[in-house]
């Protein structure tokens, strides 16, 4: 589990939410003090909160995306970057996901692959899948 | 990762909703980045429609001249690939003879042979037959092309003569398959006929934009695809013991081969005259992906009809994602795309894209094949609602 600072953090919500919820609630910003999770206004039965993806994971995804799209090393690719805006067509996206599978030793299901449109979403999915494997 | 890229065109192809199946990546072409989406979400129980923006007249007007200047060349090189009607086969050559004493017996034998052929084969054969029967759409499509269209319906330009004669040759394919399926007793003709009526009503936009460069590249690809597909149904018919049906599929495949020769010859000439324009056109069509002519098929019941039909065709090896890659690779070789010189910067990028594409497609397909697939099946109204493994 990533360490959580006592300040506002962005909790990406996992893909176990229904599709329309994900599209509305991609980032849930929470602030809390202390270590009492019950102060969070989340209903554990409906949400499974995933930790924010490690920066290294996000960076690795950026690297894979850059490589797939033949972008220079200094090009602006961040968590928010949308694949389509970077010039990825549908074939590129499929190959990016394949690259992520290889790099992280995970297997991506169709339903999860469907929801990925940005680097951050890819990184979060990777963390989820790795956590499930553990 | 069982990636499914389903281009079910009637669904809103927004990025997150796209279902990805590798063999379908290359079967239809309506996936777009969100900025290209048009059309509303499909109402249930209505035929699908194209969801991409329909672009028109993308050929620069001055390039239409090229086709005028090729009139003599077309007469000498393309029209010669047509067959004289007097020497052409007709459906009657392959069907029981109604005017003969032996008709009843011939029909009985036909039905006996067909009893041995499994349902899933018939699903694929029916899908192929429906595709052939939507011929009005294809003649229309050829007549949308600038510079080569039949302006009056009886125009005497070699291009117009070709289009009409090509249509006439193709017309026999649907007729023959229709009569065979009718006599076989194995399929629900009414459902099939309904599907044909819907399909002709739906038409198709192969995204050739009235542009003969795009149009002839598209037809080159398609003719080879149908040649491969009918060749496979012929082989399978033989395996199931129906030699007559094998002959039928074979004779249709032979026509397609001859048509493929004609269209690839035209594109070869375009590469000679305008290599840059043609290579850009080829890259454009491949990026948009070659959509199958019957991708809007609908039978009044199944919103995923084309996808389901394609799955079965893939499973039986009649037409697969590997075939798609093979066809592209063949065309790249046939047109010597690798050896093109004198290209612009954009042209070189297009050349690289095209030459690199077949291995990417193959890799995708290999990965998908190596994933464990969930067994699923679907009912097909064409065979009275019986379930077929996808």
């Amino acid at each position: 589990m990533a360490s959580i600072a006592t300040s506002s953090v962005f909790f990406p919500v996992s893909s176990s939410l229904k599709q329309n919820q994900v599209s509305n609630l991609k980032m849930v910003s929470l602030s809390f003090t202390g270590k009492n999770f019950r102060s969070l206004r989340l209903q554990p039965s409906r949400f499974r909160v995933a930790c924010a993806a490690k920066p290294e994971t996000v960076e690795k995804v950026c690297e894979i995306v850059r490589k797939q799209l033949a972008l220079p090393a200094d090009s602006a690719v961040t968590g928010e970057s949308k694949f389509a805006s970077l010039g990825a067509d549908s074939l590129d996206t499929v190959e990016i996901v394949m690259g992520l599978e290889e790099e992280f030793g995970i297997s991506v299901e169709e339903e999860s692959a469907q929801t990925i449109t940005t680097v951050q979403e890819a990184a979060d999915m990777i963390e989820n899948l790795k956590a499930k494997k553990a | 990762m069982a990636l499914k890229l389903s281009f079910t065109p009637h669904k809103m192809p927004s990025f997150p909703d796209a279902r990805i199946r590798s063999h379908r990546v290359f079967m239809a072409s309506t996936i777009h980045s969100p900025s290209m989406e048009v059309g509303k979400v499909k109402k249930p129980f209505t035929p699908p429609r194209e969801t991409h923006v329909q672009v028109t007249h993308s050929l620069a007007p001055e390039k239409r001249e090229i086709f005028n200047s090729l009139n003599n060349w077309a007469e000498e090189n393309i029209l010669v690939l047509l067959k004289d009607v007097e020497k052409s086969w007709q459906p009657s050559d392959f069907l029981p003879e109604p005017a003969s004493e032996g008709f009843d017996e011939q029909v009985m034998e036909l039905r006996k042979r067909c009893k041995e052929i499994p349902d899933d084969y018939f699903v694929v054969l029916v899908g192929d037959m429906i595709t052939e029967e939507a011929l009005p759409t294809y003649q229309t499509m050829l007549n949308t092309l600038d510079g080569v269209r039949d302006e009056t319906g009886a125009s005497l330009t070699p291009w117009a003569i070709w289009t009409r004669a090509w249509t006439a040759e193709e017309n026999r394919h649907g007729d023959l398959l229709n009569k065979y399926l009718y006599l076989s007793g194995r399929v629900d003709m009414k459902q099939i006929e309904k599907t044909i009526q819907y399909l002709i009503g739906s038409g198709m936009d192969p995204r050739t934009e009235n542009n003969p460069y795009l149009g002839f590249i598209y037809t080159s690809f398609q003719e080879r695809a149908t040649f491969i597909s009918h060749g496979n149904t012929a082989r399978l018919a033989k395996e199931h013991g129906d030699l007559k049906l094998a002959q039928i599929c074979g004779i249709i495949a032979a026509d397609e081969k001859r048509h493929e020769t004609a269209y690839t010859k035209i594109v070869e000439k375009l590469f000679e005259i305008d290599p840059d324009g043609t290579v850009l056109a080829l890259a454009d069509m491949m990026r948009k992906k070659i959509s199958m002519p019957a991708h809007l098929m609908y039978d009044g019941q199944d919103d995923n009809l084309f996808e389901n039909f394609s799955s079965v065709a893939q499973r039986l090896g009649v037409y697969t994602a590997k075939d798609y890659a093979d066809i592209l690779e063949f065309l790249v070789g046939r047109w010597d795309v690798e050896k093109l010189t004198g290209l612009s910067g954009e042209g070189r990028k297009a050349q690289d894209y095209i030459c690199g594409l077949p291995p990417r497609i193959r890799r995708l397909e290999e990965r998908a094949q190596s994933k464990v697939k969930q067994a699923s099946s679907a009912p097909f109204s064409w065979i009275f609602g019986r379930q077929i493994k996808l």
Side-chain angles (χ1 to χ4, degrees), chain B residues 24-264:
Chain B
R24 200 61 49 65
V25 175
F26 311 102
M27 301 302 238
S29 68
T30 52
I31 280 285
H32 293 293
S33 61
S35 59
M36 291 270 293
E37 291 162 16
V38 290
K40 307 184 194 72
V41 176
K42 183 179 118 70
K43 291 188 271 236
F45 304 114
T46 61
R49 3 171 137 168
E50 301 285 19
T51 47
H52 56 256
V53 175
Q54 297 190 32
V55 176
T56 56
H57 303 289
S58 67
L59 182 75
E62 59 270 15
K63 289 206 174 181
R64 293 181 202 177
E65 259 312 298
I66 294 176
F67 295 91
N68 286 339
S69 71
L70 285 177
N71 278 353
N72 284 337
W73 175 87
E75 218 174 295
E76 285 160 23
N77 291 275
I78 302 302
L79 295 186
V80 298
L81 292 167
L82 294 170
K83 263 219 157 122
D84 186 347
V85 177
E86 294 299 329
K87 301 204 180 84
S88 292
W89 61 266
Q90 298 299 340
S92 292
D93 298 331
F94 298 93
L95 294 164
E97 293 174 49
S100 86
E101 290 288 321
F103 179 70
D104 291 346
E105 197 186 326
Q106 289 165 23
V107 172
M108 259 174 35
E109 273 167 21
L110 191 159
R111 290 163 77 86
K112 197 159 144 223
R113 288 190 309 261
C114 286
K115 272 216 169 92
E116 304 302 313
I117 303 176
D119 281 349
D120 51 15
Y121 177 90
F122 273 108
V123 162
V124 177
L125 190 65
V126 166
D128 287 351
M129 171 264 200
I130 288 167
T131 304
E132 295 283 354
E133 289 280 65
L135 182 61
T137 301
Y138 316 139
Q139 185 174 20
T140 297
M141 173 264 176
L142 287 169
N143 284 330
T144 63
L145 302 178
D146 292 332
V148 298
R149 71 169 56 88
D150 185 341
E151 298 272 359
T152 62
S155 160
L156 295 173
T157 69
W159 306 105
I161 292 171
W162 165 268
T163 295
R164 291 194 303 271
W166 173 87
T167 304
E169 290 190 6
E170 289 282 341
N171 188 48
R172 299 169 303 160
H173 302 173
D175 281 359
L176 176 51
L177 290 171
N178 194 327
K179 288 182 183 140
Y180 198 88
L181 287 171
Y182 168 74
L183 290 173
S184 74
R186 291 281 280 115
V187 295
D188 188 344
M189 286 310 292
K190 179 134 190 207
Q191 276 302 120
I192 294 169
E193 288 153 1
K194 219 203 281 183
T195 309
I196 295 169
Q197 187 173 355
Y198 271 125
L199 186 57
I200 298 175
S202 295
M204 75 163 310
D205 173 19
R207 307 183 67 188
T208 47
E209 304 171 3
N210 309 116
N211 183 333
Y213 284 62
L214 301 178
F216 291 134
I217 287 167
Y218 179 82
T219 53
S220 295
F221 197 104
Q222 275 307 334
E223 292 290 4
R224 188 163 179 86
T226 56
F227 161 67
I228 287 171
S229 176
H230 290 302
N232 285 326
T233 49
R235 175 179 50 83
L236 289 173
K238 195 164 173 200
E239 283 172 25
H240 292 305
D242 191 340
L243 297 176
K244 268 264 160 12
L245 181 56
Q247 254 188 322
I248 284 171
C249 296
I251 198 80
I252 294 174
D255 275 1
E256 311 291 17
K257 186 71 179 139
R258 192 161 40 82
H259 296 162
E260 175 207 308
T261 302
Y263 289 120
T264 53

